[in-house]
Amino acid sequence: MRVIICKNKKEAVKKAVWLFSQEINNKKDLILGLATGKTMIPFYKELIKANIKFSKIHTFNLDEWYCVDSKDKNSLRSFMDKHFFNKVNIPKGNIHFLDGKTRNIKIECEKYERDIKKLNGIGLQILGIGINGHIGFDEPGTSFNSLTNKINISGEIRNLYSKNFKGFDNVPKYGLTMGIKTIMRSKKIILLAFGENKADAIAKALNGKINEKVPASILQKHKDATFILDKKAASKLE
Ligand code: GLP
Protein backbone atom coordinates (compact mmCIF):
# COMPACT_ATOMS: atom_id res chain seq x y z
CA MET A 1 0.00 0.00 0.00
CA ARG A 2 1.45 3.34 -1.03
CA VAL A 3 0.54 6.82 0.16
CA ILE A 4 1.55 9.83 -1.92
CA ILE A 5 1.04 13.23 -0.28
CA CYS A 6 1.02 16.15 -2.68
CA LYS A 7 1.25 19.82 -1.79
CA ASN A 8 -2.18 20.59 -3.21
CA LYS A 9 -5.15 19.27 -5.19
CA LYS A 10 -3.64 20.24 -8.53
CA GLU A 11 -0.49 18.22 -7.91
CA ALA A 12 -2.50 15.24 -6.62
CA VAL A 13 -4.65 15.23 -9.76
CA LYS A 14 -1.56 15.47 -11.99
CA LYS A 15 0.04 12.54 -10.20
CA ALA A 16 -3.10 10.39 -10.54
CA VAL A 17 -3.45 11.24 -14.24
CA TRP A 18 0.22 10.44 -14.82
CA LEU A 19 -0.21 7.01 -13.21
CA PHE A 20 -3.35 6.40 -15.25
CA SER A 21 -1.71 7.34 -18.53
CA GLN A 22 1.27 5.09 -17.79
CA GLU A 23 -1.06 2.15 -17.23
CA ILE A 24 -3.16 2.85 -20.32
CA ASN A 25 -0.13 3.38 -22.53
CA ASN A 26 1.26 0.04 -21.35
CA LYS A 27 -2.00 -1.75 -22.00
CA LYS A 28 -4.19 -0.19 -24.66
CA ASP A 29 -7.16 -2.42 -23.84
CA LEU A 30 -7.07 -1.83 -20.09
CA ILE A 31 -10.32 -2.27 -18.15
CA LEU A 32 -10.96 0.82 -16.06
CA GLY A 33 -13.09 1.11 -12.96
CA LEU A 34 -14.43 4.65 -12.68
CA ALA A 35 -15.95 6.77 -9.93
CA THR A 36 -18.12 9.87 -9.61
CA GLY A 37 -18.15 12.72 -7.10
CA LYS A 38 -16.62 16.19 -6.86
CA THR A 39 -13.12 14.77 -6.41
CA MET A 40 -13.33 13.20 -9.84
CA ILE A 41 -14.20 16.39 -11.73
CA PRO A 42 -10.64 17.84 -11.84
CA PHE A 43 -9.29 14.33 -12.37
CA TYR A 44 -11.38 13.73 -15.51
CA LYS A 45 -10.63 17.24 -16.74
CA GLU A 46 -6.92 16.55 -16.57
CA LEU A 47 -7.26 13.00 -17.93
CA ILE A 48 -9.01 14.35 -21.03
CA LYS A 49 -6.14 16.78 -21.57
CA ALA A 50 -3.63 13.92 -21.42
CA ASN A 51 -4.69 12.94 -24.96
CA ILE A 52 -4.83 9.24 -24.30
CA LYS A 53 -6.29 6.81 -26.85
CA PHE A 54 -9.35 5.27 -25.24
CA SER A 55 -10.62 3.40 -28.30
CA LYS A 56 -9.86 -0.05 -26.87
CA ILE A 57 -10.61 0.74 -23.25
CA HIS A 58 -13.64 -0.65 -21.42
CA THR A 59 -15.03 1.11 -18.36
CA PHE A 60 -17.14 -0.05 -15.43
CA ASN A 61 -18.52 2.58 -13.09
CA LEU A 62 -18.77 1.85 -9.41
CA ASP A 63 -22.35 2.77 -8.79
CA GLU A 64 -25.69 4.31 -9.72
CA TRP A 65 -28.64 5.71 -7.80
CA TYR A 66 -31.63 3.41 -7.47
CA CYS A 67 -34.11 4.11 -8.96
CA VAL A 68 -32.89 6.91 -11.17
CA ASP A 69 -33.01 6.79 -14.96
CA SER A 70 -29.65 7.02 -16.70
CA LYS A 71 -30.94 10.04 -18.66
CA ASP A 72 -31.91 11.94 -15.49
CA LYS A 73 -29.55 14.86 -14.94
CA ASN A 74 -28.76 13.57 -11.44
CA SER A 75 -27.84 10.07 -12.54
CA LEU A 76 -24.23 9.07 -12.13
CA ARG A 77 -24.30 8.10 -15.81
CA SER A 78 -25.17 11.71 -16.71
CA PHE A 79 -22.29 12.88 -14.51
CA MET A 80 -19.91 10.62 -16.42
CA ASP A 81 -21.28 11.61 -19.84
CA LYS A 82 -20.87 15.27 -18.97
CA HIS A 83 -17.44 15.14 -17.37
CA PHE A 84 -15.78 12.36 -19.30
CA PHE A 85 -17.45 10.02 -21.77
CA ASN A 86 -18.68 12.75 -24.14
CA LYS A 87 -15.21 14.21 -24.31
CA VAL A 88 -13.10 11.15 -25.14
CA ASN A 89 -13.07 8.52 -27.86
CA ILE A 90 -14.44 5.58 -25.84
CA PRO A 91 -16.84 3.54 -28.00
CA LYS A 92 -20.29 3.72 -26.36
CA GLY A 93 -20.46 -0.09 -26.32
CA ASN A 94 -17.36 -0.21 -24.13
CA ILE A 95 -19.05 1.79 -21.37
CA HIS A 96 -20.58 -0.49 -18.73
CA PHE A 97 -22.96 0.99 -16.20
CA LEU A 98 -25.43 -0.33 -13.64
CA ASP A 99 -29.00 0.40 -14.69
CA GLY A 100 -30.60 2.35 -11.84
CA LYS A 101 -34.03 1.64 -13.32
CA THR A 102 -33.61 -2.10 -13.61
CA ARG A 103 -36.69 -4.22 -12.96
CA ASN A 104 -34.61 -7.07 -11.67
CA ILE A 105 -31.88 -6.00 -9.31
CA LYS A 106 -30.49 -9.49 -8.79
CA ILE A 107 -30.10 -10.17 -12.51
CA GLU A 108 -28.65 -6.70 -13.14
CA CYS A 109 -26.04 -7.05 -10.40
CA GLU A 110 -25.09 -10.60 -11.34
CA LYS A 111 -24.72 -9.55 -14.97
CA TYR A 112 -22.38 -6.73 -13.96
CA GLU A 113 -20.16 -9.16 -12.07
CA ARG A 114 -20.18 -11.53 -15.07
CA ASP A 115 -19.36 -8.74 -17.53
CA ILE A 116 -16.37 -7.68 -15.42
CA LYS A 117 -15.16 -11.29 -15.27
CA LYS A 118 -15.64 -11.85 -19.01
CA LEU A 119 -13.19 -9.04 -19.68
CA ASN A 120 -10.71 -10.55 -17.19
CA GLY A 121 -11.42 -8.14 -14.38
CA ILE A 122 -10.77 -4.48 -13.71
CA GLY A 123 -7.14 -3.56 -14.34
CA LEU A 124 -7.21 -0.14 -12.74
CA GLN A 125 -9.86 1.27 -10.42
CA ILE A 126 -10.04 4.92 -9.40
CA LEU A 127 -11.79 5.62 -6.10
CA GLY A 128 -12.90 8.61 -4.11
CA ILE A 129 -13.82 8.30 -0.44
CA GLY A 130 -16.89 9.44 1.47
CA ILE A 131 -16.59 11.48 4.68
CA ASN A 132 -17.73 8.35 6.52
CA GLY A 133 -15.08 6.19 4.84
CA HIS A 134 -17.35 4.71 2.18
CA ILE A 135 -16.12 3.66 -1.23
CA GLY A 136 -18.50 3.35 -4.16
CA PHE A 137 -21.86 3.35 -2.39
CA ASP A 138 -20.58 0.81 0.11
CA GLU A 139 -21.53 2.43 3.38
CA PRO A 140 -20.08 1.64 6.84
CA GLY A 141 -21.22 -1.82 7.88
CA THR A 142 -21.10 -3.30 4.36
CA SER A 143 -19.66 -6.79 4.38
CA PHE A 144 -16.14 -7.10 3.03
CA ASN A 145 -17.48 -10.12 1.12
CA SER A 146 -20.11 -8.15 -0.78
CA LEU A 147 -20.44 -8.27 -4.54
CA THR A 148 -22.45 -5.88 -6.72
CA ASN A 149 -25.77 -5.28 -4.97
CA LYS A 150 -28.45 -2.82 -3.85
CA ILE A 151 -27.63 -0.88 -0.69
CA ASN A 152 -29.23 1.70 1.64
CA ILE A 153 -27.70 5.16 1.50
CA SER A 154 -27.19 6.80 4.88
CA GLY A 155 -28.92 10.04 5.86
CA GLU A 156 -25.48 11.63 6.23
CA ILE A 157 -24.64 11.00 2.59
CA ARG A 158 -28.12 11.77 1.29
CA ASN A 159 -27.83 15.11 3.00
CA LEU A 160 -24.80 15.98 0.89
CA TYR A 161 -26.87 15.46 -2.26
CA SER A 162 -29.94 17.46 -1.12
CA LYS A 163 -29.05 20.40 -3.31
CA ASN A 164 -28.67 18.31 -6.49
CA PHE A 165 -32.03 16.62 -5.94
CA LYS A 166 -33.72 19.82 -4.72
CA GLY A 167 -34.45 18.61 -1.20
CA PHE A 168 -33.39 15.80 1.13
CA ASP A 169 -36.61 13.82 0.59
CA ASN A 170 -35.95 13.60 -3.14
CA VAL A 171 -32.52 12.03 -2.68
CA PRO A 172 -32.74 8.31 -3.44
CA LYS A 173 -32.61 6.06 -0.40
CA TYR A 174 -30.89 3.27 -2.32
CA GLY A 175 -28.05 2.72 -4.69
CA LEU A 176 -26.65 -0.08 -6.81
CA THR A 177 -22.94 -0.52 -6.29
CA MET A 178 -20.01 -2.80 -6.84
CA GLY A 179 -19.39 -4.63 -3.59
CA ILE A 180 -16.23 -4.38 -1.52
CA LYS A 181 -15.08 -7.74 -2.85
CA THR A 182 -15.68 -6.56 -6.44
CA ILE A 183 -13.56 -3.48 -5.79
CA MET A 184 -10.82 -5.49 -4.06
CA ARG A 185 -10.54 -7.79 -7.09
CA SER A 186 -9.25 -4.86 -9.20
CA LYS A 187 -5.62 -5.44 -10.02
CA LYS A 188 -4.60 -1.89 -9.20
CA ILE A 189 -6.42 0.78 -7.18
CA ILE A 190 -5.83 4.51 -6.90
CA LEU A 191 -7.78 6.41 -4.25
CA LEU A 192 -7.89 10.16 -4.57
CA ALA A 193 -8.84 12.50 -1.72
CA PHE A 194 -8.56 16.24 -1.14
CA GLY A 195 -9.52 18.65 1.58
CA GLU A 196 -9.88 18.78 5.33
CA ASN A 197 -13.31 17.17 5.33
CA LYS A 198 -11.72 13.92 4.15
CA ALA A 199 -8.91 13.93 6.76
CA ASP A 200 -10.81 11.84 9.37
CA ALA A 201 -11.89 9.22 6.84
CA ILE A 202 -8.35 9.00 5.46
CA ALA A 203 -6.80 8.63 8.92
CA LYS A 204 -9.30 5.90 9.83
CA ALA A 205 -8.78 4.12 6.51
CA LEU A 206 -4.99 4.17 6.69
CA ASN A 207 -4.11 4.16 10.38
CA GLY A 208 -7.15 2.49 11.89
CA LYS A 209 -7.99 -1.17 12.31
CA ILE A 210 -9.31 -2.90 9.21
CA ASN A 211 -13.01 -3.12 9.95
CA GLU A 212 -16.34 -2.98 8.20
CA LYS A 213 -17.27 0.27 9.96
CA VAL A 214 -14.70 1.96 7.68
CA PRO A 215 -15.11 0.36 4.24
CA ALA A 216 -11.95 1.98 2.83
CA SER A 217 -9.83 0.37 5.58
CA ILE A 218 -9.95 -2.90 3.59
CA LEU A 219 -7.63 -1.28 1.07
CA GLN A 220 -4.78 -1.82 3.57
CA LYS A 221 -4.98 -5.45 2.46
CA HIS A 222 -4.83 -4.76 -1.27
CA LYS A 223 -1.57 -5.70 -3.01
CA ASP A 224 -1.45 -2.65 -5.27
CA ALA A 225 -3.40 0.26 -3.81
CA THR A 226 -2.13 3.84 -3.82
CA PHE A 227 -3.69 6.75 -1.92
CA ILE A 228 -2.99 10.10 -3.56
CA LEU A 229 -3.79 12.90 -1.13
CA ASP A 230 -3.36 16.61 -0.80
CA LYS A 231 -1.84 17.91 2.45
CA LYS A 232 -5.23 18.70 3.94
CA ALA A 233 -6.64 15.21 3.43
CA ALA A 234 -3.41 13.81 4.89
CA SER A 235 -3.39 16.20 7.87
CA LYS A 236 -4.63 13.65 10.42
CA LEU A 237 -2.32 10.80 9.43
CA GLU A 238 0.05 9.55 12.11
C1 GLP B 1 -20.21 9.38 -3.47
C2 GLP B 1 -19.77 8.36 -4.50
C3 GLP B 1 -18.38 7.86 -4.22
C4 GLP B 1 -17.47 9.06 -3.98
C5 GLP B 1 -17.86 9.77 -2.72
C6 GLP B 1 -17.08 11.04 -2.46
O1 GLP B 1 -21.15 8.87 -2.59
N1 GLP B 1 -20.67 7.24 -4.63
O2 GLP B 1 -17.92 7.07 -5.30
O3 GLP B 1 -16.14 8.64 -3.85
O4 GLP B 1 -19.24 10.02 -2.68
O5 GLP B 1 -17.57 12.09 -3.23
P1 GLP B 1 -16.89 13.50 -3.36
O6 GLP B 1 -15.72 13.29 -4.24
O7 GLP B 1 -17.94 14.37 -3.98
O8 GLP B 1 -16.50 13.94 -2.01
Side-chain angles (χ1 to χ4, degrees), residues 151-191:
I151 44 82
N152 296 327
I153 298 174
S154 68
E156 189 184 9
I157 299 301
R158 289 179 63 224
N159 208 14
L160 295 176
Y161 287 90
S162 287
K163 212 169 155 200
N164 299 28
F165 284 92
K166 299 205 165 66
F168 179 81
D169 289 339
N170 302 327
V171 183
K173 294 188 179 72
Y174 307 101
L176 301 181
T177 182
M178 283 186 201
I180 302 276
K181 201 175 197 169
T182 323
I183 295 171
M184 285 296 281
R185 283 175 179 161
S186 311
K187 295 178 188 81
K188 201 179 189 73
I189 296 179
I190 293 175
L191 185 145

Short mmCIF file of all heavy atoms in Angstrom, two decimals, residues 151-191:
data_model
loop_
_atom_site.label_atom_id
_atom_site.label_comp_id
_atom_site.label_asym_id
_atom_site.label_seq_id
_atom_site.Cartn_x
_atom_site.Cartn_y
_atom_site.Cartn_z
N ILE A 151 -27.94 -1.24 -2.08
CA ILE A 151 -27.63 -0.88 -0.69
C ILE A 151 -28.47 0.34 -0.25
O ILE A 151 -29.00 1.08 -1.07
CB ILE A 151 -26.13 -0.54 -0.48
CG1 ILE A 151 -25.61 0.36 -1.60
CG2 ILE A 151 -25.27 -1.76 -0.43
CD1 ILE A 151 -25.88 1.76 -1.48
N ASN A 152 -28.56 0.51 1.08
CA ASN A 152 -29.23 1.70 1.64
C ASN A 152 -28.20 2.82 1.71
O ASN A 152 -27.06 2.58 2.10
CB ASN A 152 -29.68 1.44 3.08
CG ASN A 152 -30.71 0.36 3.16
OD1 ASN A 152 -31.53 0.20 2.26
ND2 ASN A 152 -30.67 -0.41 4.24
N ILE A 153 -28.62 4.02 1.39
CA ILE A 153 -27.70 5.16 1.50
C ILE A 153 -28.01 5.91 2.78
O ILE A 153 -29.17 6.22 3.06
CB ILE A 153 -27.82 6.05 0.25
CG1 ILE A 153 -27.40 5.21 -0.98
CG2 ILE A 153 -26.94 7.29 0.37
CD1 ILE A 153 -27.58 5.86 -2.29
N SER A 154 -26.98 6.20 3.56
CA SER A 154 -27.19 6.80 4.88
C SER A 154 -27.71 8.24 4.74
O SER A 154 -27.48 8.91 3.73
CB SER A 154 -25.86 6.84 5.64
OG SER A 154 -24.98 7.74 5.02
N GLY A 155 -28.39 8.68 5.80
CA GLY A 155 -28.92 10.04 5.86
C GLY A 155 -27.79 11.06 5.69
O GLY A 155 -27.95 12.08 5.03
N GLU A 156 -26.65 10.74 6.28
CA GLU A 156 -25.48 11.63 6.23
C GLU A 156 -25.07 11.91 4.77
O GLU A 156 -24.82 13.04 4.37
CB GLU A 156 -24.34 10.93 6.97
CG GLU A 156 -23.11 11.77 7.22
CD GLU A 156 -21.99 10.95 7.88
OE1 GLU A 156 -22.13 9.71 7.99
OE2 GLU A 156 -20.99 11.56 8.25
N ILE A 157 -25.05 10.85 3.99
CA ILE A 157 -24.64 11.00 2.59
C ILE A 157 -25.77 11.61 1.76
O ILE A 157 -25.54 12.48 0.92
CB ILE A 157 -24.20 9.63 2.00
CG1 ILE A 157 -23.00 9.08 2.79
CG2 ILE A 157 -23.89 9.73 0.52
CD1 ILE A 157 -21.76 9.97 2.82
N ARG A 158 -27.00 11.20 2.05
CA ARG A 158 -28.12 11.77 1.29
C ARG A 158 -28.18 13.28 1.48
O ARG A 158 -28.50 14.03 0.57
CB ARG A 158 -29.44 11.10 1.73
CG ARG A 158 -29.52 9.65 1.25
CD ARG A 158 -30.80 8.99 1.71
NE ARG A 158 -31.99 9.60 1.18
CZ ARG A 158 -33.09 9.87 1.88
NH1 ARG A 158 -33.15 9.54 3.17
NH2 ARG A 158 -34.13 10.43 1.32
N ASN A 159 -27.84 13.70 2.68
CA ASN A 159 -27.83 15.11 3.00
C ASN A 159 -26.90 15.90 2.07
O ASN A 159 -27.24 17.00 1.63
CB ASN A 159 -27.37 15.27 4.45
CG ASN A 159 -27.94 16.49 5.08
OD1 ASN A 159 -28.89 17.10 4.54
ND2 ASN A 159 -27.37 16.89 6.20
N LEU A 160 -25.77 15.32 1.76
CA LEU A 160 -24.80 15.98 0.89
C LEU A 160 -25.35 16.20 -0.52
O LEU A 160 -24.88 17.07 -1.25
CB LEU A 160 -23.50 15.15 0.78
CG LEU A 160 -22.65 14.96 2.02
CD1 LEU A 160 -21.48 14.04 1.72
CD2 LEU A 160 -22.14 16.31 2.50
N TYR A 161 -26.32 15.38 -0.90
CA TYR A 161 -26.87 15.46 -2.26
C TYR A 161 -28.20 16.20 -2.32
O TYR A 161 -28.82 16.27 -3.39
CB TYR A 161 -27.00 14.05 -2.86
CG TYR A 161 -25.66 13.46 -3.23
CD1 TYR A 161 -24.95 12.70 -2.31
CD2 TYR A 161 -25.09 13.68 -4.47
CE1 TYR A 161 -23.70 12.18 -2.62
CE2 TYR A 161 -23.85 13.16 -4.80
CZ TYR A 161 -23.16 12.40 -3.87
OH TYR A 161 -21.93 11.90 -4.18
N SER A 162 -28.65 16.77 -1.18
CA SER A 162 -29.94 17.46 -1.12
C SER A 162 -30.08 18.52 -2.19
O SER A 162 -31.12 18.64 -2.84
CB SER A 162 -30.10 18.18 0.22
OG SER A 162 -30.32 17.26 1.20
N LYS A 163 -29.00 19.29 -2.37
CA LYS A 163 -29.05 20.40 -3.31
C LYS A 163 -29.28 19.89 -4.74
O LYS A 163 -30.15 20.39 -5.44
CB LYS A 163 -27.74 21.18 -3.24
CG LYS A 163 -27.92 22.63 -3.51
CD LYS A 163 -26.67 23.41 -3.18
CE LYS A 163 -26.65 24.67 -4.02
NZ LYS A 163 -25.29 25.22 -4.09
N ASN A 164 -28.52 18.86 -5.13
CA ASN A 164 -28.67 18.31 -6.49
C ASN A 164 -30.11 17.87 -6.75
O ASN A 164 -30.66 18.09 -7.80
CB ASN A 164 -27.79 17.07 -6.70
CG ASN A 164 -26.33 17.38 -6.54
OD1 ASN A 164 -25.96 18.29 -5.81
ND2 ASN A 164 -25.49 16.64 -7.24
N PHE A 165 -30.69 17.19 -5.74
CA PHE A 165 -32.03 16.62 -5.94
C PHE A 165 -33.14 17.57 -5.49
O PHE A 165 -34.28 17.18 -5.38
CB PHE A 165 -32.14 15.28 -5.20
CG PHE A 165 -31.43 14.15 -5.89
CD1 PHE A 165 -30.12 13.84 -5.58
CD2 PHE A 165 -32.07 13.38 -6.86
CE1 PHE A 165 -29.45 12.80 -6.22
CE2 PHE A 165 -31.41 12.33 -7.50
CZ PHE A 165 -30.10 12.04 -7.18
N LYS A 166 -32.77 18.79 -5.17
CA LYS A 166 -33.72 19.82 -4.72
C LYS A 166 -34.53 19.35 -3.51
O LYS A 166 -35.76 19.28 -3.54
CB LYS A 166 -34.66 20.24 -5.86
CG LYS A 166 -33.91 20.84 -7.05
CD LYS A 166 -34.82 21.76 -7.85
CE LYS A 166 -34.07 22.64 -8.80
NZ LYS A 166 -33.39 21.92 -9.89
N GLY A 167 -33.81 19.01 -2.46
CA GLY A 167 -34.45 18.61 -1.20
C GLY A 167 -34.07 17.21 -0.76
O GLY A 167 -34.00 16.30 -1.60
N PHE A 168 -33.83 17.07 0.55
CA PHE A 168 -33.39 15.80 1.13
C PHE A 168 -34.32 14.64 0.77
O PHE A 168 -33.87 13.55 0.43
CB PHE A 168 -33.31 15.96 2.66
CG PHE A 168 -32.89 14.71 3.37
CD1 PHE A 168 -31.55 14.35 3.46
CD2 PHE A 168 -33.84 13.88 3.97
CE1 PHE A 168 -31.15 13.19 4.12
CE2 PHE A 168 -33.46 12.71 4.63
CZ PHE A 168 -32.11 12.37 4.70
N ASP A 169 -35.65 14.90 0.82
CA ASP A 169 -36.61 13.82 0.59
C ASP A 169 -36.56 13.27 -0.83
O ASP A 169 -37.01 12.14 -1.07
CB ASP A 169 -38.04 14.30 0.90
CG ASP A 169 -38.22 14.49 2.38
OD1 ASP A 169 -37.44 13.90 3.15
OD2 ASP A 169 -39.12 15.27 2.77
N ASN A 170 -36.03 14.07 -1.75
CA ASN A 170 -35.95 13.60 -3.14
C ASN A 170 -34.69 12.78 -3.41
O ASN A 170 -34.56 12.18 -4.47
CB ASN A 170 -35.94 14.79 -4.11
CG ASN A 170 -37.16 15.64 -3.95
OD1 ASN A 170 -38.23 15.14 -3.64
ND2 ASN A 170 -37.00 16.94 -4.15
N VAL A 171 -33.76 12.78 -2.46
CA VAL A 171 -32.52 12.03 -2.68
C VAL A 171 -32.83 10.54 -2.54
O VAL A 171 -33.44 10.13 -1.55
CB VAL A 171 -31.41 12.43 -1.67
CG1 VAL A 171 -30.11 11.70 -1.98
CG2 VAL A 171 -31.20 13.93 -1.64
N PRO A 172 -32.43 9.74 -3.53
CA PRO A 172 -32.74 8.31 -3.44
C PRO A 172 -32.23 7.69 -2.14
O PRO A 172 -31.18 8.10 -1.62
CB PRO A 172 -31.99 7.72 -4.64
CG PRO A 172 -31.79 8.84 -5.58
CD PRO A 172 -31.69 10.08 -4.76
N LYS A 173 -33.00 6.73 -1.64
CA LYS A 173 -32.61 6.06 -0.40
C LYS A 173 -31.72 4.86 -0.69
O LYS A 173 -31.15 4.27 0.22
CB LYS A 173 -33.86 5.56 0.34
CG LYS A 173 -34.75 6.67 0.85
CD LYS A 173 -35.84 6.04 1.73
CE LYS A 173 -36.77 7.07 2.30
NZ LYS A 173 -37.69 7.65 1.29
N TYR A 174 -31.65 4.48 -1.95
CA TYR A 174 -30.89 3.27 -2.32
C TYR A 174 -29.93 3.54 -3.46
O TYR A 174 -30.10 4.48 -4.23
CB TYR A 174 -31.85 2.15 -2.75
CG TYR A 174 -32.93 1.86 -1.76
CD1 TYR A 174 -34.21 2.37 -1.95
CD2 TYR A 174 -32.65 1.12 -0.60
CE1 TYR A 174 -35.21 2.13 -1.02
CE2 TYR A 174 -33.64 0.87 0.33
CZ TYR A 174 -34.92 1.39 0.12
OH TYR A 174 -35.90 1.16 1.04
N GLY A 175 -28.98 2.66 -3.55
CA GLY A 175 -28.05 2.72 -4.69
C GLY A 175 -27.71 1.31 -5.13
O GLY A 175 -27.91 0.34 -4.38
N LEU A 176 -27.22 1.20 -6.35
CA LEU A 176 -26.65 -0.08 -6.81
C LEU A 176 -25.15 0.17 -6.85
O LEU A 176 -24.71 1.21 -7.34
CB LEU A 176 -27.14 -0.45 -8.21
CG LEU A 176 -28.65 -0.60 -8.39
CD1 LEU A 176 -28.96 -1.00 -9.84
CD2 LEU A 176 -29.22 -1.63 -7.43
N THR A 177 -24.38 -0.75 -6.34
CA THR A 177 -22.94 -0.52 -6.29
C THR A 177 -22.14 -1.81 -6.39
O THR A 177 -22.59 -2.87 -5.98
CB THR A 177 -22.57 0.21 -4.96
OG1 THR A 177 -21.16 0.47 -4.95
CG2 THR A 177 -22.91 -0.60 -3.72
N MET A 178 -20.94 -1.69 -6.94
CA MET A 178 -20.01 -2.80 -6.84
C MET A 178 -19.82 -3.06 -5.35
O MET A 178 -19.82 -2.12 -4.55
CB MET A 178 -18.63 -2.39 -7.39
CG MET A 178 -18.49 -2.35 -8.87
SD MET A 178 -16.73 -2.02 -9.24
CE MET A 178 -16.87 -1.40 -10.90
N GLY A 179 -19.63 -4.32 -5.00
CA GLY A 179 -19.39 -4.63 -3.59
C GLY A 179 -17.92 -4.41 -3.25
O GLY A 179 -17.10 -4.11 -4.11
N ILE A 180 -17.62 -4.56 -1.97
CA ILE A 180 -16.23 -4.38 -1.52
C ILE A 180 -15.33 -5.45 -2.17
O ILE A 180 -14.22 -5.17 -2.58
CB ILE A 180 -16.14 -4.50 0.02
CG1 ILE A 180 -17.04 -3.48 0.70
CG2 ILE A 180 -14.71 -4.41 0.49
CD1 ILE A 180 -16.47 -2.11 0.87
N LYS A 181 -15.87 -6.66 -2.25
CA LYS A 181 -15.08 -7.74 -2.85
C LYS A 181 -14.82 -7.45 -4.34
O LYS A 181 -13.73 -7.69 -4.84
CB LYS A 181 -15.84 -9.07 -2.71
CG LYS A 181 -14.95 -10.27 -2.82
CD LYS A 181 -15.75 -11.51 -2.55
CE LYS A 181 -14.86 -12.67 -2.24
NZ LYS A 181 -15.66 -13.80 -1.73
N THR A 182 -15.84 -6.92 -5.02
CA THR A 182 -15.68 -6.56 -6.44
C THR A 182 -14.54 -5.55 -6.58
O THR A 182 -13.67 -5.69 -7.43
CB THR A 182 -16.99 -5.91 -6.98
OG1 THR A 182 -18.12 -6.54 -6.41
CG2 THR A 182 -17.05 -5.93 -8.49
N ILE A 183 -14.57 -4.54 -5.72
CA ILE A 183 -13.56 -3.48 -5.79
C ILE A 183 -12.17 -4.07 -5.48
O ILE A 183 -11.19 -3.78 -6.18
CB ILE A 183 -13.89 -2.33 -4.79
CG1 ILE A 183 -15.20 -1.63 -5.22
CG2 ILE A 183 -12.74 -1.33 -4.69
CD1 ILE A 183 -15.75 -0.63 -4.22
N MET A 184 -12.12 -4.92 -4.46
CA MET A 184 -10.82 -5.49 -4.06
C MET A 184 -10.22 -6.40 -5.12
O MET A 184 -9.02 -6.66 -5.11
CB MET A 184 -10.99 -6.26 -2.74
CG MET A 184 -11.13 -5.36 -1.53
SD MET A 184 -9.63 -4.38 -1.23
CE MET A 184 -8.58 -5.59 -0.42
N ARG A 185 -11.07 -6.92 -6.03
CA ARG A 185 -10.54 -7.79 -7.09
C ARG A 185 -9.81 -7.00 -8.17
O ARG A 185 -9.16 -7.58 -9.02
CB ARG A 185 -11.69 -8.57 -7.74
CG ARG A 185 -12.16 -9.73 -6.89
CD ARG A 185 -13.37 -10.35 -7.58
NE ARG A 185 -13.88 -11.49 -6.85
CZ ARG A 185 -15.09 -11.99 -7.00
NH1 ARG A 185 -15.93 -11.43 -7.87
NH2 ARG A 185 -15.49 -13.03 -6.30
N SER A 186 -9.97 -5.68 -8.19
CA SER A 186 -9.25 -4.86 -9.20
C SER A 186 -7.76 -5.07 -9.01
O SER A 186 -7.28 -5.13 -7.88
CB SER A 186 -9.55 -3.38 -9.00
OG SER A 186 -10.92 -3.17 -8.89
N LYS A 187 -7.06 -5.14 -10.13
CA LYS A 187 -5.62 -5.44 -10.02
C LYS A 187 -4.86 -4.27 -9.40
O LYS A 187 -3.91 -4.48 -8.65
CB LYS A 187 -5.07 -5.79 -11.40
CG LYS A 187 -5.70 -7.09 -11.91
CD LYS A 187 -5.23 -7.47 -13.30
CE LYS A 187 -6.03 -8.65 -13.83
NZ LYS A 187 -7.35 -8.28 -14.38
N LYS A 188 -5.28 -3.07 -9.72
CA LYS A 188 -4.60 -1.89 -9.20
C LYS A 188 -5.67 -0.88 -8.78
O LYS A 188 -6.67 -0.74 -9.48
CB LYS A 188 -3.75 -1.32 -10.34
CG LYS A 188 -2.62 -0.43 -9.94
CD LYS A 188 -1.89 0.02 -11.21
CE LYS A 188 -0.61 0.73 -10.90
NZ LYS A 188 0.49 -0.07 -10.42
N ILE A 189 -5.43 -0.20 -7.65
CA ILE A 189 -6.42 0.78 -7.18
C ILE A 189 -5.72 2.10 -6.86
O ILE A 189 -4.65 2.11 -6.23
CB ILE A 189 -7.15 0.27 -5.91
CG1 ILE A 189 -7.96 -0.99 -6.23
CG2 ILE A 189 -8.04 1.36 -5.31
CD1 ILE A 189 -8.71 -1.60 -5.05
N ILE A 190 -6.33 3.20 -7.30
CA ILE A 190 -5.83 4.51 -6.90
C ILE A 190 -6.97 5.24 -6.21
O ILE A 190 -8.06 5.38 -6.79
CB ILE A 190 -5.35 5.33 -8.13
CG1 ILE A 190 -4.12 4.65 -8.75
CG2 ILE A 190 -5.03 6.77 -7.74
CD1 ILE A 190 -3.64 5.29 -10.03
N LEU A 191 -6.76 5.65 -4.97
CA LEU A 191 -7.78 6.41 -4.25
C LEU A 191 -7.30 7.85 -4.16
O LEU A 191 -6.16 8.11 -3.77
CB LEU A 191 -8.02 5.82 -2.86
CG LEU A 191 -9.15 6.47 -2.06
CD1 LEU A 191 -9.88 5.44 -1.19
CD2 LEU A 191 -8.69 7.64 -1.19
#
